[in-house]
Amino acid sequence: MLPLVGSNPRPCSLARAAPRGHKESLETHQPRPTLTRGHSERRARHGLPPQLAVAREFARALGALLLGPLRLVAYFLTRRRLEAEVLGDLRSGSPPDDPPALSPPAPELDRGRPLRVFISCAEPSGELHARHLIDALCEVAAEHGLATPTLTGLGGERLDEKGVRRVGDPVAKSAMGFGVVAALPFYLRLLTDAARELRDGRPNLMIAVDSPALHVPLGHIARGYGVPVVHFVTPQYWGWAPWRVGGYRAAVDLALSILPFEPPWFDRHRVRTAHVGHPIQDALARVPANPDPDRCSTLALLPGSRNSVLRRNLPWMLGVVAELRQQFPELRVALPHDRTELEPTVRELVEQAGATDWVDLRFGSLHATLRDCRAAFSVSGTVLLDLLHHRLPTAVVYRVDSKLEAWLAQHVLTVPFFASTNLLVGREVCPEWCFAGDGPRGDVLEALRTLWVDGPERSAAREGLDLAASRLGQPGANRRAAHWALAEAGRERADV
């Protein structure tokens, strides 16, 4: 449900600048010695047989599952303190860290030998990030006179186009949607194959993209074979179940965060972190923004990108918009959607709601539609950052299956908001609701009304969106991530 300091480090160092307003010296933000293994251990050529390494991770996961209830009790006892800490983080966002200097290249980055990189992604969104990161990695390497990296790893067919020799495809499996138990044999085999490649291929670096459920155990395995691990897109442990960060800390050498409030949280939990900015900014840099939403008269309706989310939310949202149209007869409604394979489902639901005459369905034209909209009514998700790009005041909902899920959202999350726009500024810019059943229909309707008409609520929302956009940062996340990854590999090349 929850969908990111400046420094001038010496070449290939990982010094982090103190947060703005912080009086500690740079040295206090150096990685803790206990978190970094020695070079001889890091480049260990031996380790457990792959099957045993995977079995150890499976046992570790079972142990965590058994300890879950105790950790939940401990969490509730400290929840208020944790919430206060996270709220402070949300209000102290920082710009991306300056990437390490690679000119002149570190001696460990041999110009003649290509880096051997194991790159892994487990879902379509992660695969997209991985593809862009590979492009940036090759570009940065070439700019510094380094050979093009040799790539192996896990991912979908689209990685083939980037020259990756794949040893498994978790992306295709994730798209099939099997339950955890049914998919367990597949993932055990996948981890075993990956472990064998990490042991025998001895890559200089493993880059894992998102998907901590797969990459935390795989990171443990890689480090056991002496392979340093960089994780791109830090997990949202700050949002719920924060006790998981201990296992994460042991699984990665460097975490690359994409949201500006994440570095202080991970610093506090002793995870080596560099903030690189959000990769969506790289894509949005090429997208013309809405020049003036105030001149428009169309409401964007965004009901989600998954079939189950669509079916839960779209009929309810259409009912609310139908009531809004009674107050504003001139209001036009556009439903843009980039996933054309969901067109039959969307058309079916719109027809069932009797809204065919007043909902303009537009498939494959998200940003072209948003450029002509005045406001939005959206399900929570990454699309909120697309709406932020166009500065559209937005009411956000997330309708869940049961009252238990709604209760958990209110009592288990450590953040006061779930909409990414609100998280970026640490206050409610976009009114949001998570609920089961009929929900707060009247409250949502009133929020949409105040965001639609000119007035203080709409003006405040526009100002908040400007602040959120400024905190999201500038484009260049993929290049910054590539720089940090090369620097981390350079730290380890001496013992190859």
PDB file of all heavy atoms in Angstrom, residues 434-469:
ATOM      1  N   CYS A 434      -8.180   5.094   4.117  1.00  0.00           N
ATOM      2  CA  CYS A 434      -8.096   3.646   3.924  1.00  0.00           C
ATOM      3  C   CYS A 434      -9.253   3.038   4.705  1.00  0.00           C
ATOM      4  O   CYS A 434      -9.403   3.296   5.900  1.00  0.00           O
ATOM      5  CB  CYS A 434      -6.755   3.108   4.413  1.00  0.00           C
ATOM      6  SG  CYS A 434      -6.588   1.314   4.252  1.00  0.00           S
ATOM      7  N   PHE A 435     -10.070   2.223   4.059  1.00  0.00           N
ATOM      8  CA  PHE A 435     -11.302   1.762   4.691  1.00  0.00           C
ATOM      9  C   PHE A 435     -11.798   0.482   4.039  1.00  0.00           C
ATOM     10  O   PHE A 435     -11.345   0.086   2.955  1.00  0.00           O
ATOM     11  CB  PHE A 435     -12.385   2.841   4.583  1.00  0.00           C
ATOM     12  CG  PHE A 435     -12.717   3.210   3.154  1.00  0.00           C
ATOM     13  CD1 PHE A 435     -13.728   2.565   2.465  1.00  0.00           C
ATOM     14  CD2 PHE A 435     -12.000   4.197   2.492  1.00  0.00           C
ATOM     15  CE1 PHE A 435     -14.017   2.885   1.152  1.00  0.00           C
ATOM     16  CE2 PHE A 435     -12.279   4.535   1.176  1.00  0.00           C
ATOM     17  CZ  PHE A 435     -13.295   3.873   0.508  1.00  0.00           C
ATOM     18  N   ALA A 436     -12.730  -0.163   4.710  1.00  0.00           N
ATOM     19  CA  ALA A 436     -13.448  -1.315   4.159  1.00  0.00           C
ATOM     20  C   ALA A 436     -14.927  -0.946   4.086  1.00  0.00           C
ATOM     21  O   ALA A 436     -15.393  -0.031   4.768  1.00  0.00           O
ATOM     22  CB  ALA A 436     -13.245  -2.536   5.040  1.00  0.00           C
ATOM     23  N   GLY A 437     -15.650  -1.664   3.248  1.00  0.00           N
ATOM     24  CA  GLY A 437     -17.092  -1.420   3.154  1.00  0.00           C
ATOM     25  C   GLY A 437     -17.406  -0.112   2.458  1.00  0.00           C
ATOM     26  O   GLY A 437     -16.687   0.330   1.565  1.00  0.00           O
ATOM     27  N   ASP A 438     -18.510   0.538   2.891  1.00  0.00           N
ATOM     28  CA  ASP A 438     -18.965   1.742   2.200  1.00  0.00           C
ATOM     29  C   ASP A 438     -18.079   2.939   2.498  1.00  0.00           C
ATOM     30  O   ASP A 438     -17.960   3.857   1.684  1.00  0.00           O
ATOM     31  CB  ASP A 438     -20.416   2.057   2.577  1.00  0.00           C
ATOM     32  CG  ASP A 438     -21.053   3.033   1.615  1.00  0.00           C
ATOM     33  OD1 ASP A 438     -20.916   2.826   0.395  1.00  0.00           O
ATOM     34  OD2 ASP A 438     -21.652   4.021   2.072  1.00  0.00           O
ATOM     35  N   GLY A 439     -17.453   2.968   3.664  1.00  0.00           N
ATOM     36  CA  GLY A 439     -16.471   3.993   3.947  1.00  0.00           C
ATOM     37  C   GLY A 439     -17.035   5.393   4.117  1.00  0.00           C
ATOM     38  O   GLY A 439     -18.246   5.608   4.125  1.00  0.00           O
ATOM     39  N   PRO A 440     -16.137   6.373   4.232  1.00  0.00           N
ATOM     40  CA  PRO A 440     -16.528   7.772   4.502  1.00  0.00           C
ATOM     41  C   PRO A 440     -16.948   8.503   3.225  1.00  0.00           C
ATOM     42  O   PRO A 440     -16.320   9.498   2.822  1.00  0.00           O
ATOM     43  CB  PRO A 440     -15.258   8.354   5.105  1.00  0.00           C
ATOM     44  CG  PRO A 440     -14.156   7.613   4.417  1.00  0.00           C
ATOM     45  CD  PRO A 440     -14.668   6.209   4.211  1.00  0.00           C
ATOM     46  N   ARG A 441     -17.976   8.051   2.599  1.00  0.00           N
ATOM     47  CA  ARG A 441     -18.390   8.596   1.308  1.00  0.00           C
ATOM     48  C   ARG A 441     -18.599  10.120   1.376  1.00  0.00           C
ATOM     49  O   ARG A 441     -18.163  10.868   0.502  1.00  0.00           O
ATOM     50  CB  ARG A 441     -19.674   7.906   0.849  1.00  0.00           C
ATOM     51  CG  ARG A 441     -20.132   8.296  -0.549  1.00  0.00           C
ATOM     52  CD  ARG A 441     -21.408   7.536  -0.911  1.00  0.00           C
ATOM     53  NE  ARG A 441     -21.172   6.106  -0.967  1.00  0.00           N
ATOM     54  CZ  ARG A 441     -20.864   5.446  -2.082  1.00  0.00           C
ATOM     55  NH1 ARG A 441     -20.751   6.111  -3.221  1.00  0.00           N
ATOM     56  NH2 ARG A 441     -20.685   4.150  -2.069  1.00  0.00           N
ATOM     57  N   GLY A 442     -19.282  10.580   2.432  1.00  0.00           N
ATOM     58  CA  GLY A 442     -19.549  12.011   2.550  1.00  0.00           C
ATOM     59  C   GLY A 442     -18.281  12.832   2.695  1.00  0.00           C
ATOM     60  O   GLY A 442     -18.144  13.913   2.094  1.00  0.00           O
ATOM     61  N   ASP A 443     -17.322  12.349   3.488  1.00  0.00           N
ATOM     62  CA  ASP A 443     -16.071  13.073   3.683  1.00  0.00           C
ATOM     63  C   ASP A 443     -15.269  13.153   2.383  1.00  0.00           C
ATOM     64  O   ASP A 443     -14.676  14.195   2.062  1.00  0.00           O
ATOM     65  CB  ASP A 443     -15.226  12.392   4.762  1.00  0.00           C
ATOM     66  CG  ASP A 443     -15.849  12.499   6.144  1.00  0.00           C
ATOM     67  OD1 ASP A 443     -16.736  13.363   6.328  1.00  0.00           O
ATOM     68  OD2 ASP A 443     -15.451  11.724   7.032  1.00  0.00           O
ATOM     69  N   VAL A 444     -15.234  12.053   1.649  1.00  0.00           N
ATOM     70  CA  VAL A 444     -14.500  12.043   0.389  1.00  0.00           C
ATOM     71  C   VAL A 444     -15.154  12.994  -0.613  1.00  0.00           C
ATOM     72  O   VAL A 444     -14.466  13.749  -1.319  1.00  0.00           O
ATOM     73  CB  VAL A 444     -14.419  10.613  -0.178  1.00  0.00           C
ATOM     74  CG1 VAL A 444     -13.734  10.607  -1.545  1.00  0.00           C
ATOM     75  CG2 VAL A 444     -13.675   9.689   0.783  1.00  0.00           C
ATOM     76  N   LEU A 445     -16.458  12.966  -0.671  1.00  0.00           N
ATOM     77  CA  LEU A 445     -17.183  13.855  -1.584  1.00  0.00           C
ATOM     78  C   LEU A 445     -16.890  15.320  -1.262  1.00  0.00           C
ATOM     79  O   LEU A 445     -16.645  16.136  -2.161  1.00  0.00           O
ATOM     80  CB  LEU A 445     -18.686  13.578  -1.490  1.00  0.00           C
ATOM     81  CG  LEU A 445     -19.597  14.434  -2.381  1.00  0.00           C
ATOM     82  CD1 LEU A 445     -19.269  14.221  -3.851  1.00  0.00           C
ATOM     83  CD2 LEU A 445     -21.060  14.098  -2.093  1.00  0.00           C
ATOM     84  N   GLU A 446     -16.892  15.672   0.025  1.00  0.00           N
ATOM     85  CA  GLU A 446     -16.613  17.055   0.413  1.00  0.00           C
ATOM     86  C   GLU A 446     -15.175  17.441   0.088  1.00  0.00           C
ATOM     87  O   GLU A 446     -14.906  18.576  -0.344  1.00  0.00           O
ATOM     88  CB  GLU A 446     -16.881  17.228   1.909  1.00  0.00           C
ATOM     89  CG  GLU A 446     -16.561  18.603   2.467  1.00  0.00           C
ATOM     90  CD  GLU A 446     -17.360  19.728   1.822  1.00  0.00           C
ATOM     91  OE1 GLU A 446     -18.378  19.447   1.155  1.00  0.00           O
ATOM     92  OE2 GLU A 446     -16.960  20.893   1.994  1.00  0.00           O
ATOM     93  N   ALA A 447     -14.239  16.533   0.285  1.00  0.00           N
ATOM     94  CA  ALA A 447     -12.845  16.827  -0.049  1.00  0.00           C
ATOM     95  C   ALA A 447     -12.693  17.076  -1.545  1.00  0.00           C
ATOM     96  O   ALA A 447     -11.984  18.013  -1.961  1.00  0.00           O
ATOM     97  CB  ALA A 447     -11.948  15.681   0.399  1.00  0.00           C
ATOM     98  N   LEU A 448     -13.329  16.260  -2.361  1.00  0.00           N
ATOM     99  CA  LEU A 448     -13.267  16.467  -3.808  1.00  0.00           C
ATOM    100  C   LEU A 448     -13.853  17.815  -4.192  1.00  0.00           C
ATOM    101  O   LEU A 448     -13.327  18.521  -5.071  1.00  0.00           O
ATOM    102  CB  LEU A 448     -14.004  15.337  -4.530  1.00  0.00           C
ATOM    103  CG  LEU A 448     -13.250  14.011  -4.674  1.00  0.00           C
ATOM    104  CD1 LEU A 448     -14.181  12.920  -5.192  1.00  0.00           C
ATOM    105  CD2 LEU A 448     -12.051  14.168  -5.617  1.00  0.00           C
ATOM    106  N   ARG A 449     -14.932  18.198  -3.538  1.00  0.00           N
ATOM    107  CA  ARG A 449     -15.569  19.492  -3.834  1.00  0.00           C
ATOM    108  C   ARG A 449     -14.606  20.638  -3.525  1.00  0.00           C
ATOM    109  O   ARG A 449     -14.433  21.549  -4.339  1.00  0.00           O
ATOM    110  CB  ARG A 449     -16.856  19.649  -3.027  1.00  0.00           C
ATOM    111  CG  ARG A 449     -17.662  20.909  -3.382  1.00  0.00           C
ATOM    112  CD  ARG A 449     -18.733  21.201  -2.350  1.00  0.00           C
ATOM    113  NE  ARG A 449     -18.144  21.613  -1.074  1.00  0.00           N
ATOM    114  CZ  ARG A 449     -17.679  22.849  -0.845  1.00  0.00           C
ATOM    115  NH1 ARG A 449     -17.712  23.781  -1.786  1.00  0.00           N
ATOM    116  NH2 ARG A 449     -17.159  23.141   0.336  1.00  0.00           N
ATOM    117  N   THR A 450     -13.955  20.597  -2.355  1.00  0.00           N
ATOM    118  CA  THR A 450     -13.073  21.702  -1.984  1.00  0.00           C
ATOM    119  C   THR A 450     -11.801  21.742  -2.829  1.00  0.00           C
ATOM    120  O   THR A 450     -11.220  22.818  -3.021  1.00  0.00           O
ATOM    121  CB  THR A 450     -12.688  21.605  -0.494  1.00  0.00           C
ATOM    122  OG1 THR A 450     -12.008  20.369  -0.250  1.00  0.00           O
ATOM    123  CG2 THR A 450     -13.929  21.686   0.389  1.00  0.00           C
ATOM    124  N   LEU A 451     -11.366  20.591  -3.329  1.00  0.00           N
ATOM    125  CA  LEU A 451     -10.209  20.572  -4.213  1.00  0.00           C
ATOM    126  C   LEU A 451     -10.559  21.012  -5.628  1.00  0.00           C
ATOM    127  O   LEU A 451      -9.692  21.449  -6.391  1.00  0.00           O
ATOM    128  CB  LEU A 451      -9.591  19.170  -4.259  1.00  0.00           C
ATOM    129  CG  LEU A 451      -8.953  18.661  -2.966  1.00  0.00           C
ATOM    130  CD1 LEU A 451      -8.469  17.228  -3.146  1.00  0.00           C
ATOM    131  CD2 LEU A 451      -7.804  19.552  -2.510  1.00  0.00           C
ATOM    132  N   TRP A 452     -11.830  20.923  -5.966  1.00  0.00           N
ATOM    133  CA  TRP A 452     -12.273  21.277  -7.321  1.00  0.00           C
ATOM    134  C   TRP A 452     -12.464  22.785  -7.490  1.00  0.00           C
ATOM    135  O   TRP A 452     -12.076  23.356  -8.497  1.00  0.00           O
ATOM    136  CB  TRP A 452     -13.564  20.529  -7.645  1.00  0.00           C
ATOM    137  CG  TRP A 452     -14.038  20.749  -9.051  1.00  0.00           C
ATOM    138  CD1 TRP A 452     -15.036  21.578  -9.477  1.00  0.00           C
ATOM    139  CD2 TRP A 452     -13.507  20.133 -10.223  1.00  0.00           C
ATOM    140  NE1 TRP A 452     -15.167  21.517 -10.840  1.00  0.00           N
ATOM    141  CE2 TRP A 452     -14.233  20.631 -11.324  1.00  0.00           C
ATOM    142  CE3 TRP A 452     -12.488  19.216 -10.446  1.00  0.00           C
ATOM    143  CZ2 TRP A 452     -13.978  20.242 -12.637  1.00  0.00           C
ATOM    144  CZ3 TRP A 452     -12.227  18.827 -11.751  1.00  0.00           C
ATOM    145  CH2 TRP A 452     -12.957  19.338 -12.822  1.00  0.00           C
ATOM    146  N   VAL A 453     -13.059  23.417  -6.506  1.00  0.00           N
ATOM    147  CA  VAL A 453     -13.380  24.842  -6.624  1.00  0.00           C
ATOM    148  C   VAL A 453     -12.195  25.690  -6.161  1.00  0.00           C
ATOM    149  O   VAL A 453     -11.362  25.245  -5.364  1.00  0.00           O
ATOM    150  CB  VAL A 453     -14.634  25.202  -5.793  1.00  0.00           C
ATOM    151  CG1 VAL A 453     -15.833  24.390  -6.253  1.00  0.00           C
ATOM    152  CG2 VAL A 453     -14.397  24.967  -4.302  1.00  0.00           C
ATOM    153  N   ASP A 454     -12.121  26.913  -6.680  1.00  0.00           N
ATOM    154  CA  ASP A 454     -11.110  27.846  -6.195  1.00  0.00           C
ATOM    155  C   ASP A 454     -11.419  28.211  -4.752  1.00  0.00           C
ATOM    156  O   ASP A 454     -12.554  28.533  -4.402  1.00  0.00           O
ATOM    157  CB  ASP A 454     -11.100  29.105  -7.065  1.00  0.00           C
ATOM    158  CG  ASP A 454     -10.593  28.821  -8.473  1.00  0.00           C
ATOM    159  OD1 ASP A 454      -9.715  27.961  -8.615  1.00  0.00           O
ATOM    160  OD2 ASP A 454     -11.105  29.466  -9.426  1.00  0.00           O
ATOM    161  N   GLY A 455     -10.404  28.172  -3.915  1.00  0.00           N
ATOM    162  CA  GLY A 455     -10.605  28.476  -2.513  1.00  0.00           C
ATOM    163  C   GLY A 455      -9.365  28.136  -1.716  1.00  0.00           C
ATOM    164  O   GLY A 455      -8.341  27.683  -2.269  1.00  0.00           O
ATOM    165  N   PRO A 456      -9.400  28.332  -0.404  1.00  0.00           N
ATOM    166  CA  PRO A 456      -8.202  28.109   0.417  1.00  0.00           C
ATOM    167  C   PRO A 456      -7.713  26.666   0.401  1.00  0.00           C
ATOM    168  O   PRO A 456      -6.504  26.411   0.453  1.00  0.00           O
ATOM    169  CB  PRO A 456      -8.641  28.543   1.818  1.00  0.00           C
ATOM    170  CG  PRO A 456     -10.147  28.498   1.793  1.00  0.00           C
ATOM    171  CD  PRO A 456     -10.536  28.837   0.397  1.00  0.00           C
ATOM    172  N   GLU A 457      -8.639  25.688   0.356  1.00  0.00           N
ATOM    173  CA  GLU A 457      -8.221  24.284   0.367  1.00  0.00           C
ATOM    174  C   GLU A 457      -7.447  23.937  -0.910  1.00  0.00           C
ATOM    175  O   GLU A 457      -6.399  23.273  -0.856  1.00  0.00           O
ATOM    176  CB  GLU A 457      -9.431  23.358   0.508  1.00  0.00           C
ATOM    177  CG  GLU A 457     -10.101  23.398   1.857  1.00  0.00           C
ATOM    178  CD  GLU A 457     -11.127  24.523   1.954  1.00  0.00           C
ATOM    179  OE1 GLU A 457     -11.280  25.285   0.958  1.00  0.00           O
ATOM    180  OE2 GLU A 457     -11.770  24.644   3.014  1.00  0.00           O
ATOM    181  N   ARG A 458      -7.942  24.402  -2.049  1.00  0.00           N
ATOM    182  CA  ARG A 458      -7.245  24.119  -3.306  1.00  0.00           C
ATOM    183  C   ARG A 458      -5.893  24.847  -3.343  1.00  0.00           C
ATOM    184  O   ARG A 458      -4.878  24.270  -3.760  1.00  0.00           O
ATOM    185  CB  ARG A 458      -8.111  24.538  -4.492  1.00  0.00           C
ATOM    186  CG  ARG A 458      -7.447  24.283  -5.850  1.00  0.00           C
ATOM    187  CD  ARG A 458      -8.379  24.604  -7.025  1.00  0.00           C
ATOM    188  NE  ARG A 458      -7.650  24.509  -8.275  1.00  0.00           N
ATOM    189  CZ  ARG A 458      -7.447  23.382  -8.958  1.00  0.00           C
ATOM    190  NH1 ARG A 458      -7.941  22.244  -8.475  1.00  0.00           N
ATOM    191  NH2 ARG A 458      -6.771  23.374 -10.083  1.00  0.00           N
ATOM    192  N   SER A 459      -5.852  26.087  -2.891  1.00  0.00           N
ATOM    193  CA  SER A 459      -4.596  26.839  -2.877  1.00  0.00           C
ATOM    194  C   SER A 459      -3.570  26.165  -1.970  1.00  0.00           C
ATOM    195  O   SER A 459      -2.382  26.055  -2.319  1.00  0.00           O
ATOM    196  CB  SER A 459      -4.859  28.271  -2.410  1.00  0.00           C
ATOM    197  OG  SER A 459      -5.692  28.951  -3.321  1.00  0.00           O
ATOM    198  N   ALA A 460      -4.024  25.709  -0.790  1.00  0.00           N
ATOM    199  CA  ALA A 460      -3.111  25.035   0.129  1.00  0.00           C
ATOM    200  C   ALA A 460      -2.579  23.739  -0.477  1.00  0.00           C
ATOM    201  O   ALA A 460      -1.399  23.388  -0.305  1.00  0.00           O
ATOM    202  CB  ALA A 460      -3.815  24.751   1.450  1.00  0.00           C
ATOM    203  N   ALA A 461      -3.456  23.037  -1.195  1.00  0.00           N
ATOM    204  CA  ALA A 461      -3.020  21.796  -1.830  1.00  0.00           C
ATOM    205  C   ALA A 461      -1.968  22.072  -2.902  1.00  0.00           C
ATOM    206  O   ALA A 461      -0.954  21.354  -2.993  1.00  0.00           O
ATOM    207  CB  ALA A 461      -4.213  21.069  -2.438  1.00  0.00           C
ATOM    208  N   ARG A 462      -2.174  23.115  -3.692  1.00  0.00           N
ATOM    209  CA  ARG A 462      -1.198  23.442  -4.736  1.00  0.00           C
ATOM    210  C   ARG A 462       0.153  23.812  -4.131  1.00  0.00           C
ATOM    211  O   ARG A 462       1.212  23.416  -4.635  1.00  0.00           O
ATOM    212  CB  ARG A 462      -1.717  24.602  -5.597  1.00  0.00           C
ATOM    213  CG  ARG A 462      -2.945  24.280  -6.471  1.00  0.00           C
ATOM    214  CD  ARG A 462      -2.615  23.321  -7.607  1.00  0.00           C
ATOM    215  NE  ARG A 462      -1.548  23.816  -8.438  1.00  0.00           N
ATOM    216  CZ  ARG A 462      -1.720  24.673  -9.459  1.00  0.00           C
ATOM    217  NH1 ARG A 462      -2.929  25.113  -9.755  1.00  0.00           N
ATOM    218  NH2 ARG A 462      -0.686  25.054 -10.184  1.00  0.00           N
ATOM    219  N   GLU A 463       0.150  24.552  -3.034  1.00  0.00           N
ATOM    220  CA  GLU A 463       1.400  24.915  -2.369  1.00  0.00           C
ATOM    221  C   GLU A 463       2.096  23.671  -1.798  1.00  0.00           C
ATOM    222  O   GLU A 463       3.326  23.534  -1.892  1.00  0.00           O
ATOM    223  CB  GLU A 463       1.122  25.914  -1.249  1.00  0.00           C
ATOM    224  CG  GLU A 463       0.669  27.280  -1.746  1.00  0.00           C
ATOM    225  CD  GLU A 463       0.268  28.200  -0.604  1.00  0.00           C
ATOM    226  OE1 GLU A 463       0.399  27.768   0.570  1.00  0.00           O
ATOM    227  OE2 GLU A 463      -0.175  29.329  -0.872  1.00  0.00           O
ATOM    228  N   GLY A 464       1.310  22.779  -1.210  1.00  0.00           N
ATOM    229  CA  GLY A 464       1.885  21.557  -0.676  1.00  0.00           C
ATOM    230  C   GLY A 464       2.481  20.675  -1.765  1.00  0.00           C
ATOM    231  O   GLY A 464       3.520  20.026  -1.564  1.00  0.00           O
ATOM    232  N   LEU A 465       1.854  20.642  -2.933  1.00  0.00           N
ATOM    233  CA  LEU A 465       2.378  19.854  -4.047  1.00  0.00           C
ATOM    234  C   LEU A 465       3.712  20.413  -4.527  1.00  0.00           C
ATOM    235  O   LEU A 465       4.617  19.659  -4.884  1.00  0.00           O
ATOM    236  CB  LEU A 465       1.363  19.837  -5.189  1.00  0.00           C
ATOM    237  CG  LEU A 465       0.073  19.060  -4.917  1.00  0.00           C
ATOM    238  CD1 LEU A 465      -0.942  19.303  -6.031  1.00  0.00           C
ATOM    239  CD2 LEU A 465       0.341  17.569  -4.767  1.00  0.00           C
ATOM    240  N   ASP A 466       3.836  21.730  -4.542  1.00  0.00           N
ATOM    241  CA  ASP A 466       5.118  22.332  -4.925  1.00  0.00           C
ATOM    242  C   ASP A 466       6.222  21.916  -3.956  1.00  0.00           C
ATOM    243  O   ASP A 466       7.345  21.598  -4.373  1.00  0.00           O
ATOM    244  CB  ASP A 466       4.993  23.860  -4.953  1.00  0.00           C
ATOM    245  CG  ASP A 466       4.211  24.369  -6.157  1.00  0.00           C
ATOM    246  OD1 ASP A 466       4.135  23.640  -7.162  1.00  0.00           O
ATOM    247  OD2 ASP A 466       3.677  25.495  -6.078  1.00  0.00           O
ATOM    248  N   LEU A 467       5.910  21.911  -2.669  1.00  0.00           N
ATOM    249  CA  LEU A 467       6.901  21.505  -1.671  1.00  0.00           C
ATOM    250  C   LEU A 467       7.258  20.030  -1.839  1.00  0.00           C
ATOM    251  O   LEU A 467       8.444  19.657  -1.780  1.00  0.00           O
ATOM    252  CB  LEU A 467       6.361  21.758  -0.260  1.00  0.00           C
ATOM    253  CG  LEU A 467       7.256  21.313   0.899  1.00  0.00           C
ATOM    254  CD1 LEU A 467       8.611  22.002   0.836  1.00  0.00           C
ATOM    255  CD2 LEU A 467       6.571  21.575   2.242  1.00  0.00           C
ATOM    256  N   ALA A 468       6.255  19.178  -2.049  1.00  0.00           N
ATOM    257  CA  ALA A 468       6.519  17.747  -2.226  1.00  0.00           C
ATOM    258  C   ALA A 468       7.405  17.503  -3.438  1.00  0.00           C
ATOM    259  O   ALA A 468       8.342  16.691  -3.396  1.00  0.00           O
ATOM    260  CB  ALA A 468       5.198  16.989  -2.365  1.00  0.00           C
ATOM    261  N   ALA A 469       7.132  18.220  -4.533  1.00  0.00           N
ATOM    262  CA  ALA A 469       7.930  18.049  -5.746  1.00  0.00           C
ATOM    263  C   ALA A 469       9.372  18.471  -5.515  1.00  0.00           C
ATOM    264  O   ALA A 469      10.312  17.826  -5.998  1.00  0.00           O
ATOM    265  CB  ALA A 469       7.317  18.838  -6.893  1.00  0.00           C
TER     266      ALA A 469
END
